[in-house]
Amino acid sequence: MTAEIALEKLKQRRRPRRLRRTPALRELARETRLSARQLICPLFVRPGRGVKEPIASMPGQFRLSLDQLPQEAEELLSLGVPAVLLFGIPEHKDETGSEAYDERGLVQKAVRALKREFPELVVMTDVCLCAYTSHGHCGLVRDGEVLNDETLELLEKAAVSHAAAGADVVAPSAMMDGQVQAIREALDEQGFPQTAIMSYAAKYASAFYGPFREAADSAPEFGDRASYQMDPANAREALCEIELDVQEGADAVMVKPALAYLDVIARARERVDVPLAAYNVSGEYAMLKAAVERGWLEERRAVLETLTALRRAGADWIITYFAKDAARWLQEDFR
Ligand code: PBG
């Protein structure tokens, strides 16, 4: 028998289906695992009492008044979801987004209340101005331009106010250059060296934030966010953004959105050693929900497949509006 024929025989003997034969074998051969322990659930906090206001473009998601948060947190913890990411929808907006850094602001109150009742819950906060400014941009605006360095000071104040309230992790999402370093220095100087930073490092100027902007009432009044958020056509630039943020002191970095950016997640995973988060954003949630409502997709399988794909691409943490449902489905799987 020539060597070539021997090799041919060997190839024929290789049958990948052997390890797919039974559920137990498939379980054993599984390369990627999805766990509720790596999910982060975004929550929207709004003014009022006893309010659980549905968000039309995000079926199953709500704007919650403060008193509704404990129930939500309890449910998440009991399902094994360890973390929440808070967004505030303030009563008043102004030019400088002053409620974003008001120590009696909604998010600050929410952090205090949650940490008091659930010390073990990881409380993360979005640090940005867009939901708080009258113009809806993520920074200060002068002559139609979003200013970078002038904005940093306000982001520092917001982050410090969240840390003072007890946030475990602050998550700057304004895409201002130098925001991670500015926030790290402010936190350290003002006595919060233990507060971690998860940076929205590679955040793209994406159409998939549409439903969120309705939820948070944060759409820009003029123009768009292309002068500070990233061009969807760029991947190398994402690695540059991520490296900069790690150098500036980010404890974890994020790629956002997730689904159309799996290549960016995979490349980032190879480059950095800090935890990598993927944000499965509002538009990704909405399109799946819409297809499910029409009976075109099977929700449980489609959601778990999607979240598994994010883990497979290299994400450690997944920020997703499906957190509660996914955690429930994962529990059922192990019963
Ligand atoms: C704030 C912010 C946005 C999202 C998270 N933080 C909106 C935006 O940049 O316009 C989007 C989240 C989502 O779509 O689920 N800057």
Side-chain angles (χ1 to χ4, degrees):
M1 203 162 42
T2 69
E4 266 154 56
I5 294 171
L7 190 68
E8 240 355 270
K9 282 243 147 120
L10 203 66
K11 271 192 201 153
Q12 282 166 17
R13 266 184 232 135
R14 223 168 133 75
R15 288 176 174 271
R17 284 188 56 188
R18 283 186 197 116
L19 294 183
R20 295 179 202 144
R21 197 169 48 83
T22 69
L25 282 167
R26 290 195 290 276
E27 179 77 34
L28 196 63
R30 189 155 300 140
E31 297 173 30
T32 311
R33 300 204 188 260
L34 185 61
S35 158
R37 302 257 167 231
Q38 288 173 305
L39 302 181
I40 300 167
C41 184
L43 293 178
F44 298 99
V45 194
R46 56 149 289 163
R49 280 191 65 97
V51 196
K52 188 169 178 177
E53 179 192 0
I55 299 164
S57 55
M58 300 173 73
Q61 300 300 308
F62 302 86
R63 299 185 191 88
L64 303 168
S65 56
L66 275 177
D67 53 290
Q68 304 291 304
L69 291 177
Q71 195 193 325
E72 208 59 31
E74 201 171 315
E75 232 177 300
L76 287 164
L77 284 173
S78 75
L79 289 165
V81 178
V84 295
L85 175 60
L86 300 180
F87 294 93
I89 305 150
E91 199 113 41
H92 306 289
K93 298 177 189 263
D94 58 30
E95 280 287 301
T96 61
S98 51
E99 270 197 47
Y101 38 89
D102 179 349
E103 58 184 46
R104 286 151 310 176
L106 260 180
V107 164
Q108 291 81 352
K109 279 187 189 154
V111 173
R112 275 193 200 92
L114 284 173
K115 288 306 286 188
R116 197 185 312 120
E117 212 170 322
F118 307 97
E120 74 279 27
L121 179 72
V122 177
V123 175
M124 306 184 171
T125 56
D126 186 80
V127 176
C128 196
L129 300 183
C130 60
Y132 302 89
T133 50
S134 41
H135 45 71
H137 277 288
C138 301
L140 286 175
V141 171
R142 192 187 303 144
D143 303 329
E145 282 242 10
V146 178
L147 306 174
N148 195 88
D149 297 9
E150 293 81 347
T151 299
L152 295 181
E153 201 182 314
L154 303 183
L155 296 174
E156 288 168 28
K157 282 167 70 174
V160 167
S161 74
H162 296 172
D168 298 289
V169 181
V170 293
S173 71
M175 288 298 280
M176 296 297 128
D177 293 335
Q179 64 183 8
V180 173
Q181 183 174 349
I183 288 172
R184 184 70 270 158
E185 282 170 6
L187 290 171
D188 290 348
E189 273 164 25
Q190 294 179 57
F192 305 104
Q194 76 283 16
T195 308
I197 299 176
M198 170 174 74
S199 80
Y200 287 68
K203 179 176 178 179
Y204 287 88
S206 171
F208 291 98
Y209 307 151
F212 174 96
R213 290 182 188 168
E214 187 212 306
D217 185 23
S218 66
E221 210 154 64
F222 66 89
D224 54 32
R225 303 208 201 291
S227 80
Y228 42 107
Q229 297 183 346
M230 279 187 57
D231 180 344
N234 295 355
R236 292 195 305 268
E237 189 188 349
L239 300 178
C240 170
E241 280 280 9
I242 288 168
E243 258 163 38
L244 274 174
D245 282 6
V246 171
Q247 282 165 15
E248 288 181 32
D251 301 282
V253 291
M254 188 203 298
V255 173
K256 178 190 173 197
L259 285 186
Y261 299 86
L262 293 178
D263 59 323
V264 179
I265 295 172
R267 286 169 74 172
R269 175 70 296 160
E270 282 175 14
R271 286 277 198 105
V272 298
D273 297 318
V274 299
L276 177 63
Y279 198 142
N280 179 218
V281 299
S282 59
E284 298 171 359
Y285 177 84
M287 63 186 182
L288 239 156
K289 279 284 183 189
V292 168
E293 272 180 13
R294 283 167 175 71
W296 292 347
L297 283 178
E298 196 187 317
E299 184 170 30
R300 184 177 181 284
R301 288 186 58 209
V303 170
L304 294 179
E305 180 177 331
T306 298
L307 300 180
T308 300
L310 299 181
R311 295 272 300 124
R312 191 194 63 230
D316 298 300
W317 303 344
I318 301 174
I319 302 159
T320 179
Y321 303 97
F322 288 114
K324 214 197 282 182
D325 286 338
R328 207 174 283 126
W329 293 325
L330 288 169
Q331 264 185 355
E332 286 164 10
D333 264 359
F334 288 108
R335 228 174 256 153

